[in-house]
Amino acid sequence: MSDANMLLERAKAALIAHDYSLAAKIYKNLILEEPNKLEYKMGLGNLYVKAGKDDQALTIFKQIEKIDNENIDALVAISGIYRRQKKFEESVAFLEQALIISEGNPQSHAKISYNLGFTYRQMGNYEDAVKCFEEVVEETPNDVLANNHLGAIYAMQGNHQKAIEAYNRGLKYDSNPPILQFNIAKSYAEIGEISKAQSFYEGALRAKPGWTEAIEAYADLLLEENKVSEADEVCLLLYIICFNFVCRKN
């Protein structure tokens, strides 16, 4: 193994250990040796993102874009930073640039469309967000997160049947994510399919025991259906969780 590769492995190990200062020092030394090696610059940029230093990360990713303005990973990373900074127009612009470059590469195109949909959703532009997520699930129907976003937007628009279709599509490929089970339970409750709602609330709590938001929603549903004893059991679970949390704090 070359010296550079050994240093790169050390940087990755430091990153895993959350020793960001050591990892950054190693990456900077590697960049000094090979200033145009984009792998090292990407590593340093991603490190800064994980360390919560978006401004420093942005500087690095902009350097990469200057060297290679068709580097999709850098463009997506820049757009992500702008999205976190609530600079949505800038985020969209970089993702649209990446979309043009990714034509002919379905996997990259779907990844960029997902990020664009996520940005539009945060902007409150639900119409364009739906179009993006629909493109993603058309290309990769097993994308659980895209199906969840799509379902959530449909639910916000009051279209719970389409929301359920999206959630079910995600659950078809992965039945474990508690957020999907929680969201589909809420939509089933909205259209009055109570037994299905109960089943999915219970599934969400099996997958994520002690999830207070799910416990509260499930208890509310049971009370609305006059299932008082069952609601009491669920509320007792919530009380136990809260009591244990307070005890740990003290």
Side-chain angles (χ1 to χ4, degrees):
M1 184 180 290
S2 68
D3 289 344
N5 285 337
M6 287 177 64
L7 286 171
L8 191 59
E9 290 302 315
R10 282 186 62 199
K12 291 176 180 177
L15 188 58
I16 292 170
H18 294 175
D19 190 344
Y20 297 126
S21 60
L22 175 59
K25 182 179 179 181
I26 295 170
Y27 275 119
K28 287 175 182 177
N29 287 334
L30 287 167
I31 291 167
L32 281 174
E33 293 294 324
E34 298 182 77
N36 291 327
K37 183 89 170 182
L38 298 188
E39 179 187 1
Y40 301 154
K41 288 181 178 289
M42 283 297 300
L44 182 59
N46 289 328
L47 182 155
Y48 283 140
V49 169
K50 289 183 178 179
K53 298 179 178 180
D54 273 347
D55 288 338
Q56 290 171 264
L58 187 60
T59 299
I60 299 297
F61 291 129
K62 286 289 190 71
Q63 290 174 6
I64 295 169
E65 189 220 358
K66 191 172 182 180
I67 297 168
D68 177 11
N69 64 3
E70 294 192 352
N71 189 305
I72 289 174
D73 289 336
L75 294 172
V76 171
I78 291 168
S79 75
I81 292 170
Y82 280 136
R83 182 172 57 244
R84 288 192 292 276
Q85 294 176 340
K86 309 299 181 186
K87 297 177 180 178
F88 296 119
E89 297 300 330
E90 291 92 334
S91 179
V92 168
F94 276 95
L95 288 170
E96 287 178 341
Q97 182 182 342
L99 273 179
I100 294 168
I101 297 165
S102 71
E103 286 294 342
N105 185 335
Q107 188 173 5
S108 291
H109 202 78
K111 173 185 174 183
I112 297 159
S113 293
Y114 174 89
N115 279 275
L116 190 55
F118 188 50
T119 303
Y120 281 136
R121 183 181 176 184
Q122 289 203 349
M123 292 170 70
N125 182 347
Y126 299 128
E127 183 178 348
D128 285 334
V130 165
K131 289 177 183 176
C132 290
F133 288 126
E134 283 180 340
E135 282 184 20
V136 175
V137 299
E138 183 177 345
E139 183 62 42
T140 54
N142 62 340
D143 191 317
V144 173
L145 291 176
N147 280 303
N148 183 60
H149 281 300
L150 194 54
I153 295 170
Y154 285 140
M156 282 190 290
Q157 295 172 331
N159 193 339
H160 290 285
Q161 290 291 357
K162 290 197 77 170
I164 287 166
E165 287 176 18
Y167 296 138
N168 269 326
R169 187 167 49 241
L171 288 166
K172 175 183 174 183
Y173 293 98
D174 187 350
S175 61
N176 292 319
I179 187 63
L180 271 177
Q181 298 193 62
F182 176 64
N183 283 338
I184 198 172
K186 290 193 294 182
S187 282
Y188 273 127
E190 287 291 335
I191 64 172
E193 295 203 30
I194 305 304
S195 62
K196 288 183 179 178
Q198 283 187 241
S199 177
F200 280 107
Y201 274 132
E202 289 168 6
L205 289 168
R206 281 195 298 272
K208 188 177 178 180
W211 186 7
T212 55
E213 187 179 3
I215 293 169
E216 288 171 353
Y218 188 21
D220 287 343
L221 174 67
L222 293 170
L223 288 171
E224 287 172 10
E225 295 301 306
N226 292 318
K227 297 182 178 180
V228 178
S229 61
E230 293 177 52
D232 284 345
E233 290 179 13
V234 175
C235 289
L236 177 61
L237 175 60
L238 180 59
Y239 170 79
I240 292 168
I241 291 166
C242 293
F243 179 79
N244 288 338
F245 176 76
V246 171
C247 288
R248 285 198 300 271
K249 290 267 291 187
N250 294 331

